[in-house]
Amino acid sequence: MDIVSALRSFLRVAETGSFSAAAADLGVTQPAVSRQVSALESHLTIRLLHRTTSGLALTAEGERAIPFALRVLAAVDELGDAAGLGCAAASGKVRLSVPGPLGMYLGGLLAPFLAAYPGLSVELVLRENPSDLLEEGIDLEVRLGPVLANGLICRHIGWTTAFLVAAPSYLSRSAAPSAPAELQHHECLYYNRGGEGMTWSFSDGSAETAVRVAPRLISNNALAVYRAALSGARLAILSHLVAGPDIATGRLIAVMPGFPPSRLPMHVVYLSRRNIPLRVKAVLDFLMTAVGADPAMSR
């Protein structure tokens, strides 16, 4: 019996309450997880789980076993890191929740990362609103702006950079604004990140200016707002990750350069600093490296 795999299977079953859900997270079959947990019970000569027609429940012995199992796996993970075995040991599925523009950026970088970790899979969840990490099984989540951690581990990893943009066709019929107050004469496209009023915030380097806008199009999908702006519809604020290439080619024009959109801090949140599985640590390292490699986000 592979005691490490058996312990991982047991903990995942205890967390998800299901052999099939644990198998999906670990990237193995449901019978394999069931056999590993049964083998662990035989090895320890205790019953860890009650199996009934209505589901699974931890026994009293199973409850007491969890902190010991976590300590064993933490020690194994530390040993793997120290011995340089992280790539071989990191396996299973990681659910990573990120805002849409960042998700599109990360999607273009995942191929070499996944090639380096053949036992690892990533579920990239594109979401603007904060998740309930425990309830939804999210391992890592990137949040923009101030974060109410509520017991979560929160690490600052970078900053957003955005532009107020318009297509040349729009600017040919409407003069570009030179200051935030002039936006009242323009129709706007609003990328709604959730929980925000219809307000855009700009900075001249010394002070912030908030402007209430009345958008003709509102979407929580950055790509939809980008396509509308590209078609010449209206003004929009878009991440450099979305608009940058088109600004470089002239398909979009960055307007009001003296008042760029305010930058927001970017944080990654997760449930616990201790006993981070290697699969999660590998994706966390990938995320921080990817953000740090882009100067517009790293400073």
Side-chain angles (χ1 to χ4, degrees):
M1 178 186 64
D2 180 347
I3 189 70
V4 172
S5 295
L7 287 172
R8 292 192 194 282
S9 292
F10 163 60
L11 288 174
R12 211 62 181 157
V13 170
E15 180 180 349
T16 63
S18 163
F19 283 118
S20 58
D25 283 355
L26 293 169
V28 298
T29 66
Q30 184 270 336
V33 171
S34 181
R35 285 194 299 270
Q36 287 176 338
V37 174
S38 294
L40 181 62
E41 289 177 320
S42 297
H43 179 74
L44 299 175
T45 65
I46 57 174
R47 181 172 293 279
L48 300 169
L49 298 166
H50 288 302
R51 299 161 177 83
T52 68
T53 55
S54 60
L56 298 171
L58 284 166
T59 64
E61 291 78 11
E63 292 276 7
R64 289 196 294 269
I66 286 178
F68 294 98
L70 288 171
R71 286 201 291 271
V72 170
L73 291 181
V76 170
D77 287 347
E78 290 176 8
L79 177 61
D81 287 345
L85 300 175
C87 289
S91 62
K93 184 173 74 173
V94 176
R95 299 195 78 208
L96 171 62
S97 172
V98 297
L102 182 60
M104 290 188 284
Y105 170 67
L106 295 177
L109 302 176
L110 276 169
F113 170 73
L114 293 175
Y117 292 84
L120 194 65
S121 64
V122 176
E123 181 178 347
L124 195 58
V125 180
L126 304 188
R127 177 176 293 167
E128 309 306 326
N129 295 322
S131 307
D132 183 324
L133 270 61
L134 185 60
E135 180 71 21
E136 300 179 51
I138 300 295
D139 296 293
L140 299 166
E141 181 165 78
V142 174
R143 298 180 182 177
L144 306 181
V147 173
L148 295 176
N150 293 328
L152 300 175
I153 303 304
C154 180
R155 295 175 64 174
H156 179 261
I157 60 173
W159 296 87
T160 62
T161 293
F163 298 98
L164 178 65
V165 299
S169 59
Y170 176 79
L171 296 177
S172 69
R173 59 183 190 271
S174 299
S178 59
E182 297 177 20
L183 289 174
Q184 62 182 312
H185 305 300
H186 289 265
E187 294 179 342
C188 304
L189 309 169
Y190 193 80
Y191 170 38
N192 186 2
R193 289 194 298 266
E196 301 177 343
M198 302 304 168
T199 302
W200 282 345
S201 180
F202 302 90
S203 174
D204 64 359
S206 60
E208 301 271 330
T209 301
V211 177
R212 184 81 175 175
V213 295
R216 295 293 304 279
L217 170 69
I218 303 169
S219 177
N220 66 349
N221 186 297
L223 185 57
V225 175
Y226 158 74
R227 294 295 296 271
L230 202 60
S231 73
R234 306 288 188 276
L235 291 169
I237 289 181
L238 292 172
S239 166
H240 78 289
L241 296 169
V242 175
D246 291 288
I247 292 173
T249 60
R251 280 160 46 94
L252 287 174
I253 307 297
V255 300
M256 218 165 70
F259 295 86
S262 300
R263 302 183 77 192
L264 298 174
M266 187 183 305
H267 300 90
V268 59
V269 298
Y270 46 98
L271 288 171
S272 175
R273 190 186 305 276
R274 298 185 58 194
N275 305 314
I276 301 176
L278 279 184
R279 60 186 174 83
V280 176
K281 185 177 183 300
V283 175
L284 177 60
D285 290 344
F286 159 74
L287 171 66
M288 296 183 68
T289 299
V291 170
D294 187 322
M297 290 190 285
S298 62
R299 63 170 182 263

